[in-house]
């Protein structure tokens, strides 16, 4: 389908030489016959009634005759069909056919309404806009009679029928249907764009400008909206002068939740790399500052405050060994020996030969009265560096404590009474 039922369409040149969207042409010309048959006849459906010219009459909106001939190239047969025909005038009489499933489901619509919508889509694609409009109208009426609640589906039906009105130059009814669609689904892109085109065809440029600008808030990639905004801006400046903006209606602010159609180019590899490098530099600067603040708190004896700074450091660099040993020192000063031991364990997983981690874990084990583990850690320290005098002193003290602990355990241990039974050997003769 054209842009009325699909997201994009190439541009074409108007008679004035300006580049305009191909799908705008029929919205800005006098009504033509319905499909490729005769003129539209009056029916009982007042919502699309007899056709009348409601489009703009300025020459700048006229479309070349060859463009009009390209609009309808489908079968003249009315009603449902199972194929879309194109290339009607191709050499050799060949006709390209595309199979269409008219019974395909459409949202929450029941089967008979889905078929009406599919038939309308097919007729629209074949250029039979009046017949397509009739199908959409029947679907809308069927929706209303069914009492169902599916605003999204009804919005699409109104939007599609608005596309038919726009193609036939019935801009006023197009505006009405687009407004109904937007009441059901605010900030829906296609109804906004079609209403803008209809306003522009009626030379209601201020309202058209507002709708185009709203479209660009939803999707900045709609080139037709950019072109129309530039064109209308020049017209309004000529008409109203430098104060043209003051005469515009308010442009609604589109919420982020409605900007679902926005299509942005993904960042290049260079941009991603630059962002990563900047994030790394920022993290390094913050880490250094937090570590220094923690160290300053330790020097002042404010160990609880230092713990907070070191914890933030670990969020930035969870594998920084020095932060674990520094935080272990704070835990030791606060006599939180179990947590000090855990931080030393973490440091030793990162650096198995870290002297500070062994020494501070020895002190944590001492606080936990695990003198054997303490002695083992101190011996590790001296093995790594025999000149650590603090480790020698601690080892001497812990050795005494370990002996006292073992002696105390021996004294406190109750003796078991063992019954001795005398066994006499009897000889047998």
């Amino acid at each position: 389908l054209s842009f009325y039922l699909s997201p994009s369409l190439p541009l074409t040149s108007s008679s004035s030489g300006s580049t305009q969207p191909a799908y705008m042409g029929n919205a800005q010309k006098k009504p033509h016959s319905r499909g490729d048959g005769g003129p539209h006849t009056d029916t009982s459906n007042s919502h699309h009634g007899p056709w009348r010219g409601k489009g703009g009459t300025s020459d700048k909106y006229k479309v070349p005759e060859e463009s009009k001939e390209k609009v309808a190239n489908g079968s003249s047969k009315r009603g449902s069909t199972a194929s879309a025909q194109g290339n009607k005038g191709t050499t050799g009489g060949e006709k390209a056919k595309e199979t269409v499933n008219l019974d395909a489901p459409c949202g929450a619509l029941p089967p008979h309404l889905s078929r009406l919508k599919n038939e309308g889509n097919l007729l629209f694609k074949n250029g039979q806009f009046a017949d397509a409009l009739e199908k959409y109208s029947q679907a809308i009426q069927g929706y209303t009679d069914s009492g169902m609640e599916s605003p999204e589906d009804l919005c699409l039906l109104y939007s599609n029928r608005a596309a038919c009105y726009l193609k036939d130059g019935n801009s006023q009814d197009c505006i009405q249907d687009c407004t109904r669609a937007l009441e059901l689904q605010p900030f829906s892109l296609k109804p906004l764009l079609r209403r803008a085109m209809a306003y522009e065809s009626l030379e209601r440029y201020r309202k058209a400008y507002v709708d185009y600008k709203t479209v660009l808030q939803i999707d900045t990639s709609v080139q037709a909206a950019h072109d129309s905004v530039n064109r209308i801006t020049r017209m309004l400046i000529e008409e109203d002068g430098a104060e043209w903006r003051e005469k515009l209606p308010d442009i609604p602010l589109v919420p982020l939740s409605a900007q679902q159609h926005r299509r942005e180019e993904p960042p290049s590899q260079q941009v991603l790399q630059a962002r990563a490098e900047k994030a790394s530099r920022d993290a390094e600067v913050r880490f250094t500052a937090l570590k220094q603040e923690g160290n300053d708190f330790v020097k002042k004896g404010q160990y609880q405050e230092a713990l907070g700074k070191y914890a933030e450091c670990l969020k930035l660099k969870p594998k920084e060994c020095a932060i674990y040993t520094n935080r272990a020192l704070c835990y030791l000063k606060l006599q939180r020996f179990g947590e000090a031991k855990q931080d030393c364990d973490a440091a030793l997983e990162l650096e198995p030969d870290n002297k500070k981690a062994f020494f501070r874990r020895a002190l944590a084990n001492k606080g936990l009265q695990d003198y054997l583990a303490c002695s083992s850690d101190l011996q590790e320290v001296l093995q790594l560096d025999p000149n650590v005098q603090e480790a020698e002193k601690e080892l001497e003290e812990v050795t005494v404590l370990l002996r006292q602990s073992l002696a105390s355990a021996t004294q406190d241990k109750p003796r078991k009474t063992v019954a001795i039974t005398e066994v006499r050997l009897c000889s047998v003769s």
Side-chain angles (χ1 to χ4, degrees), residues 124-405:
F124 187 98
K125 185 174 183 179
N126 288 340
Q128 298 170 257
F129 306 121
D131 292 337
L133 185 147
E134 184 176 344
K135 294 295 182 181
Y136 294 137
S137 297
Q138 291 175 12
I140 291 171
Q141 186 62 48
Y143 177 100
T144 304
D145 295 341
S146 69
M148 64 181 298
E149 289 292 334
S150 181
E152 183 176 356
D153 290 310
L154 185 57
C155 170
L156 292 175
L157 289 173
Y158 276 123
S159 180
N160 286 2
R161 191 171 73 175
C164 298
Y165 284 132
L166 192 59
K167 276 289 189 180
D168 274 308
N170 191 347
S171 299
Q172 193 60 51
D173 285 343
C174 172
I175 291 170
Q176 291 179 3
D177 269 8
C178 289
T179 301
R180 292 189 187 105
L182 290 167
E183 289 172 354
L184 294 164
Q185 295 282 291
F187 303 111
S188 184
L189 185 115
K190 289 184 180 179
L192 271 170
L193 186 58
R194 290 164 186 164
R195 190 172 69 177
M197 292 157 57
Y199 278 137
E200 187 177 3
S201 73
L202 294 175
E203 300 183 12
R204 297 164 69 176
Y205 297 123
R206 294 183 184 88
K207 288 190 173 184
Y209 182 91
V210 169
D211 278 353
Y212 281 130
K213 292 293 283 186
T214 307
V215 165
L216 291 176
Q217 288 185 68
I218 299 171
D219 186 351
T220 59
S221 70
V222 181
Q223 188 58 43
H226 285 290
D227 296 340
S228 297
V229 165
N230 293 335
R231 182 171 58 253
I232 292 174
T233 299
R234 292 193 294 269
M235 294 179 182
L236 292 177
I237 291 174
E238 292 177 3
E239 182 177 341
D240 300 327
E243 299 179 353
W244 66 277
R245 292 183 183 275
E246 299 178 4
K247 299 182 180 181
L248 289 174
D250 292 335
I251 299 176
L253 181 63
V254 177
L256 291 175
S257 59
Q259 297 180 21
Q260 56 187 342
H261 299 284
R262 185 181 299 278
R263 293 185 291 272
E264 297 179 354
E265 289 295 326
S268 64
Q269 190 63 35
Q270 292 81 356
V271 171
L272 292 174
Q273 184 176 354
R275 289 178 184 175
E277 291 174 355
K278 182 179 184 303
S280 179
R281 289 194 300 269
D282 293 346
E284 186 64 37
V285 170
R286 177 161 174 74
F287 172 84
T288 302
L290 288 169
K291 181 181 179 182
Q292 186 58 50
E293 290 175 10
N295 294 348
D296 291 341
F297 279 129
V298 169
K299 292 176 182 178
K300 296 175 184 178
Q302 297 174 280
Y303 303 112
Q304 189 64 47
E305 289 78 1
L307 285 176
K309 297 300 179 181
Y310 292 140
E312 291 186 53
C313 285
L314 289 174
K315 290 179 182 178
L316 297 172
K317 289 188 175 183
K319 294 185 178 182
E320 189 69 20
C321 182
I323 301 301
Y324 285 107
T325 56
N326 287 1
R327 193 169 69 170
L329 175 61
C330 296
Y331 284 135
L332 289 172
K333 294 294 185 179
L334 296 170
Q335 297 186 357
R336 295 163 62 174
F337 302 116
E339 291 161 293
K341 182 177 182 298
Q342 289 177 359
D343 271 4
C344 291
D345 290 340
L348 289 168
E349 286 183 6
L350 297 169
E351 295 182 14
D353 295 333
N354 190 289
K355 291 186 297 184
K356 285 186 178 180
F358 274 120
F359 184 74
R360 289 172 184 172
R361 189 171 72 173
L363 298 179
N365 284 323
K366 180 181 177 183
L368 294 170
Q369 298 183 357
D370 188 350
Y371 302 124
L372 186 60
C374 176
S375 175
S376 176
D377 284 340
L378 291 170
Q379 291 175 32
E380 289 285 351
V381 173
L382 293 171
Q383 186 175 354
L384 291 168
D385 187 354
N387 299 320
V388 181
Q389 296 180 357
E390 295 88 345
E392 291 182 356
K393 293 178 182 179
E394 286 290 341
L395 183 56
E396 292 175 2
E397 182 180 343
V398 168
T399 300
V400 174
L401 291 172
L402 180 59
R403 288 173 181 172
Q404 292 175 353
S405 176

Side-chain angles (χ1 to χ4, degrees), residues 416-422:
K416 293 183 179 180
T417 302
V418 180
I420 300 176
T421 303
E422 183 178 354

Side-chain angles (χ1 to χ4, degrees), residues 73-75 81-100 122 125-126:
N73 62 355
S75 171
T81 180
S83 66
Q85 297 183 0
N87 302 327
K88 193 169 184 178
T90 57
T91 304
E94 295 181 357
K95 296 181 181 180
K97 292 187 177 182
E98 178 185 352
T99 303
V100 177
L122 182 61
K125 185 174 183 179
N126 288 340

